[in-house]
Amino acid sequence: MKLGLSLGNVMGSSVHEQVALAQAAERLGYSVVWAAEAYGCDAPTLLSYIAASTERIDIGAAVMQIPARTPAMTAMTAATLDLLSGGRFRLGLGVSGPQVSEGWHGVRFDRPLTRTREYVEVVEAALQRRVVHHEGEFFPLPLPDGPGKALRLSVRPARDRLPIYLGAVGPRNVRLAAEIADGWLAIFASARYVTDLRDEVTAGRRTGGSGARPFDIAATVPAVLGDDLETCADQLRGHAALYLGGMGSRQENFYNRLAQRMGFGDAAKHVQDLFLDGRPREAGSAVPLDFIDQTSLIGPPGRLAERLHAYAAAGVTTLCIATSAPDLQARKDTLQRVSEVFEGAGLAD
């Protein structure tokens, strides 16, 4: 198992601090830094700046939103980032959710698995510099009965094959990631939940005929070190409540469904009701300590070592640390302490 850094969705003036945090992660030997996007800073621009500010650490999009770009545009961006970074780019893709897809990008959120499959097919064909012909429901290329011409990507990436990851929450999405991609970007991933989905990964790899190729299970895990679990958990309650309550509607919230599958059905519904009723603080207080504990690294170093071993045993191959410490130095300190625990636990390569 390797360590990675997850920057999440970068907002406003913190962008320069995030670059500095990526540089700190590189010095500590972290393998990759991931940046996400929602409706603020876009991932590729930030990753380009990070690539120019570092030398060795991989840069990854977690994720670039499928409704935001045509697959050909994504292939162009991925090839450019891989070329500029000297072969350090990892392409993470995801359909986002209906609120962002339809409310921000104006793209209907329908048949996400089929859309994702077609999207990856076009991206892979372009990145492998094949003349792109694609017959599909969502991305027919060239458009039929028009003047369009099938084209080949005119720039060559630094590598023959760029790793593609899918952001996946539910079992069907995880199986699809294992079938058509090189990695699974997991969020709110407990060691138990990853273990429960290993059969989906195995089935997907078998269907895709790619069982011999390495598959990276990259799980994002918030980390707060301290002696008191409740105090540590309090720093993560707002984030958990936002996702369980606010990242979707009452009818459609993937993260709330995930919490339900993990056995927190009543609590997840209560958190969502409070959040959507305009009571975010109460929603945060209602997030069960056990949910935060299962999906985060909280507590003293000895306890973290046990959790790190549990993730490794579950099959996680890249543990991506997220830190919401109050200032840059505190975030750097968190990365360093996790790295020390990781090495002390005998998990470093």
Side-chain angles (χ1 to χ4, degrees):
M1 188 168 73
K2 298 180 182 296
L3 288 179
L5 167 64
S6 176
L7 298 177
N9 295 312
V10 178
M11 305 291 184
S13 60
S14 67
V15 63
H16 294 290
E17 291 187 354
Q18 301 290 25
V19 175
L21 192 63
Q23 292 172 322
E26 180 176 64
R27 289 193 294 271
L28 291 167
Y30 282 60
S31 62
V32 60
V33 52
W34 298 95
E37 61 184 19
Y39 39 92
C41 291
D42 72 291
T45 304
L46 175 60
L47 291 171
S48 180
Y49 194 90
I50 291 174
S53 304
T54 56
E55 297 178 356
R56 299 176 307 280
I57 194 168
D58 278 8
I59 55 170
V63 296
M64 286 169 62
Q65 298 169 335
I66 285 175
R69 304 169 182 85
T70 68
M73 184 70 247
T74 291
M76 291 165 60
T77 303
T80 305
L81 282 169
D82 197 58
L83 184 62
L84 289 173
S85 66
R88 291 188 282 146
F89 180 62
R90 306 184 192 184
L91 174 59
L93 299 170
V95 290
S96 189
Q99 288 72 28
V100 172
S101 182
E102 299 190 10
W104 186 244
H105 298 301
V107 175
R108 291 293 180 196
F109 189 83
D110 57 346
R111 305 188 64 194
L113 295 181
T114 300
R115 184 186 296 273
T116 299
R117 182 185 294 276
E118 287 193 23
Y119 197 96
V120 170
E121 288 172 352
V122 176
V123 169
E124 283 195 322
L127 288 175
Q128 292 168 15
R129 303 193 70 246
R130 303 199 303 266
V131 176
V132 178
H133 292 272
H134 187 263
E135 295 181 4
E137 177 182 352
F138 292 101
F139 305 105
L141 290 172
L143 287 175
D145 304 322
K149 177 183 177 181
L151 299 172
R152 186 197 312 271
L153 184 67
S154 62
V155 64
R156 188 180 298 275
R159 291 166 293 174
D160 292 334
R161 181 178 180 84
L162 272 68
I164 295 177
Y165 291 66
L166 293 185
V169 177
R172 290 194 303 159
N173 304 74
V174 171
R175 183 182 289 222
L176 180 66
E179 178 187 345
I180 68 174
D182 303 285
W184 164 28
L185 294 167
I187 186 171
F188 291 113
S190 69
R192 183 188 308 167
Y193 189 68
V194 173
T195 300
D196 289 344
L197 289 178
R198 289 298 300 276
D199 286 346
E200 300 293 343
V201 172
T202 300
R205 301 303 280 170
R206 187 183 303 118
T207 301
S210 51
R213 196 169 72 236
F215 185 73
D216 187 16
I217 300 178
T220 293
V221 181
V224 181
L225 280 71
D227 293 328
D228 184 76
L229 293 186
E230 286 282 1
T231 301
C232 293
D234 285 345
Q235 297 186 41
L236 302 175
R237 290 187 181 280
H239 176 262
L242 171 63
Y243 276 76
L244 298 185
M247 288 294 190
S249 65
R250 295 185 199 273
Q251 295 74 33
E252 194 78 66
N253 183 316
F254 306 127
Y255 308 104
N256 197 279
R257 287 185 193 171
L258 171 61
Q260 293 177 40
R261 284 194 294 269
M262 292 173 62
F264 297 97
D266 291 341
K269 184 181 185 306
H270 184 48
V271 170
Q272 184 181 57
D273 287 342
L274 289 170
F275 196 96
L276 294 180
D277 288 343
R279 300 154 67 184
R281 285 192 179 183
E282 293 177 59
S285 298
V287 177
L289 172 62
D290 190 31
F291 176 80
I292 295 175
D293 189 28
Q294 287 189 35
T295 58
S296 311
L297 296 175
I298 58 174
R303 192 171 189 274
L304 261 63
E306 295 176 3
R307 301 303 299 279
L308 290 171
H309 276 289
Y311 275 111
V316 172
T317 45
T318 305
L319 195 68
C320 307
I321 304 303
T323 169
S324 57
D327 57 64
L328 176 59
Q329 187 56 53
R331 294 195 288 275
K332 290 181 179 179
D333 290 344
T334 296
L335 294 186
Q336 180 169 347
R337 293 179 69 189
V338 170
S339 177
E340 291 169 352
V341 173
F342 185 76
E343 293 182 4
L347 292 167
D349 290 343

